[in-house]
């Protein structure tokens, strides 16, 4: 990033290119008049697709108009596809200085980071040595409203700008990317807080349903169970010999450590968590498995079964 040059940002998400979170982020960045903006985002909702990519067939990219951006495309692939395509120079003429994924409708903390397409959009940039940030807003059904995305975007602009300053100064670390979660009561947030990824998770189960339109009780953020449910207004296109099952939330396991992302978010902080691509065991199990692996027989006899 050259001195005096406007920072170039690629924006993606997993809620889809028309999602209010992405549009609020774009509007806020456009209003600063500081950045060159490109958008490459899914053409439909791709929540909870994690880091899946499209491999067996081409993906389609349709140019759309988003005010204030240099160019914007709606893509038939996943968030990771969108980032990969957007930084490749196959779609846009330049490589961005920074990739920002979001703003997601719902928090992405703890173990839910593994499921998140929003986080994957940033992680894909990290895999390609491009600084990136994923941003999520802790949406609560019946309490939040679309204007909250604008507030969430505004409180994240200083972080985005500060990262670009570090990139320009060639002092930004390349061994991580940032995951930012904005609290539900964003207007009264307690400030930024550096956190670590915790182990919070919503426990999910399955129940049999009669139709693929019956009572979709879990919203796209995988957390809210109080979303109004559609009535059973259609019949399944699945053949009669197939049984249908739908996910449902059955409880949660919160974090209790003060420095973790989910607990700090619920306490009202804007959490900033440095992430990377490796997944180590939660505890140091190397010593145990070194001894265990040596005891595993190289050939399994029938007597051992």
């Amino acid at each position: 990033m050259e001195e005096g040059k406007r920072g170039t940002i690629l924006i993606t998400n997993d809620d889809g290119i028309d999602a209010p979170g992405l549009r609020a982020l774009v509007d806020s960045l456009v209003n600063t008049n500081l950045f060159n903006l490109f958008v490459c985002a899914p053409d439909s909702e791709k929540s909870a697709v994690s880091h899946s990519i499209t491999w067996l067939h081409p993906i389609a990219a349709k140019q759309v108009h988003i005010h204030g951006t240099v160019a914007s495309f709606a893509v038939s692939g996943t968030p990771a596809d969108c980032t990969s395509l957007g930084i490749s120079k196959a779609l846009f003429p330049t490589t961005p200085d920074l990739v920002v994924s979001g703003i997601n409708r719902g928090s992405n903390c703890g173990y839910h980071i593994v499921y998140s397409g929003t986080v994957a959009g940033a992680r894909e940039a990290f895999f390609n040595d491009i600084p990136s940030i994923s941003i999520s807003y802790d949406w609560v059904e019946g309490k939040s409203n679309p204007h909250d995305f604008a507030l969430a975007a505004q409180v994240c602009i200083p972080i985005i700008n500060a990262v670009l300053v570090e990139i320009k100064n060639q002092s930004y670390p390349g061994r991580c990317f940032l995951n930012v979660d904005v609290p539900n009561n964003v207007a009264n947030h307690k400030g930024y807080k550096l956190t670590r990824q915790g182990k919070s998770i919503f426990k999910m189960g399955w129940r049999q349903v009669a139709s693929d339109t019956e009572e979709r009780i879990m919203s796209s953020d995988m957390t809210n169970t109080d979303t109004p449910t559609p009535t059973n207004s259609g019949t399944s296109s699945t053949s009669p010999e197939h049984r249908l099952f739908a996910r449902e939330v059955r409880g949660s396991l919160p974090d209790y450590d003060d420095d973790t992302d989910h607990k700090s978010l619920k306490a009202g902080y804007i959490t900033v968590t440095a992430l990377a691509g490796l997944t180590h065991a939660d505890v140091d199990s190397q010593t145990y498995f070194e001894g265990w692996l040596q005891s595993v027989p190289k050939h399994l006899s029938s007597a051992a079964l």
Side-chain angles (χ1 to χ4, degrees):
M1 185 173 172
E2 300 174 3
E3 186 68 30
K5 179 185 174 185
R6 289 163 63 97
T8 299
I9 301 175
L10 172 69
I11 298 172
T12 191
N13 73 345
D14 74 355
D15 291 329
I17 197 164
D18 294 320
L22 182 144
R23 295 307 179 104
L25 178 61
V26 171
D27 289 344
S28 292
L29 290 169
V30 167
N31 289 338
T32 67
N33 197 32
L34 295 174
F35 314 110
N36 295 320
L37 302 176
F38 294 84
V39 176
C40 186
D43 58 9
S44 60
E45 186 177 301
K46 295 292 190 297
S47 295
V49 299
S50 189
H51 208 109
S52 60
I53 61 172
T54 304
W55 183 259
L56 298 178
H57 57 82
I59 58 175
K62 178 183 178 181
Q63 188 158 14
V64 297
H65 174 73
I66 300 180
H67 172 72
T69 65
V70 178
S72 299
F73 284 84
V75 177
S76 63
T78 67
D81 288 334
C82 292
T83 295
S84 180
L85 179 62
I87 65 178
S88 69
K89 290 188 177 180
L91 188 64
F92 303 122
T94 59
T95 299
D97 301 303
L98 177 69
V99 172
V100 180
S101 184
I103 298 171
N104 189 62
R105 183 184 183 272
S107 63
N108 278 305
C109 297
Y111 285 138
H112 281 280
I113 285 172
V114 176
Y115 295 114
S116 172
T118 301
V119 176
R123 190 188 297 111
E124 182 68 19
F126 163 78
F127 286 160
N128 289 274
D129 299 320
I130 296 176
S132 56
I133 306 171
S134 51
I135 303 175
S136 303
Y137 166 64
D138 188 23
W139 178 279
V140 175
E141 198 69 36
K143 186 176 180 181
S144 303
N145 66 79
H147 177 65
D148 293 330
F149 287 116
L151 298 178
Q154 290 165 17
V155 300
C156 290
I157 294 296
I159 293 177
I160 294 171
N161 190 58
V163 168
L164 282 166
V165 169
E166 295 298 309
I167 294 170
K168 181 183 292 186
N169 294 336
Q170 298 184 341
S171 55
Y172 190 75
R175 299 176 301 279
C176 67
F177 65 98
L178 297 181
N179 183 45
V180 177
D181 280 277
V182 179
N184 174 260
N185 189 6
V186 56
N188 297 298
H189 69 83
K190 296 181 180 179
Y192 304 126
K193 183 177 180 180
L194 185 65
T195 57
R196 61 182 177 86
Q197 182 183 359
K199 302 177 184 177
S200 60
I201 189 169
F202 281 80
K203 292 296 185 180
M204 289 176 280
W206 295 87
R207 65 186 184 88
Q208 190 167 352
V209 296
S211 164
D212 56 11
T213 61
E214 180 185 341
E215 297 184 3
R216 187 186 178 213
I217 63 171
M218 187 162 58
S219 64
S220 63
D221 59 19
M222 298 175 62
T223 62
N224 297 317
T225 57
D226 53 356
T227 306
T229 59
T231 58
N232 188 354
S233 57
T235 58
S236 171
S237 57
T238 308
S239 56
E241 64 268 21
H242 291 89
R243 299 164 66 189
L244 297 176
F245 295 87
R247 284 188 184 270
E248 61 181 2
V249 176
R250 292 184 176 175
S252 63
L253 291 177
D255 261 319
Y256 297 102
D257 295 335
D258 291 336
D259 62 341
T260 55
D261 47 9
H262 187 260
K263 184 169 183 180
S264 298
L265 176 70
K266 291 302 183 182
Y269 291 97
I270 300 169
T271 63
V272 181
T273 308
L275 301 175
L278 298 178
T279 304
H280 298 291
D282 290 338
V283 296
D284 184 10
S285 54
Q286 288 296 109
T287 301
Y288 171 83
F289 282 110
E290 282 177 2
W292 173 83
L293 194 58
Q294 291 175 7
S295 69
V296 175
K298 293 181 174 61
H299 301 285
L300 189 62
S301 66
S302 58
L305 296 176

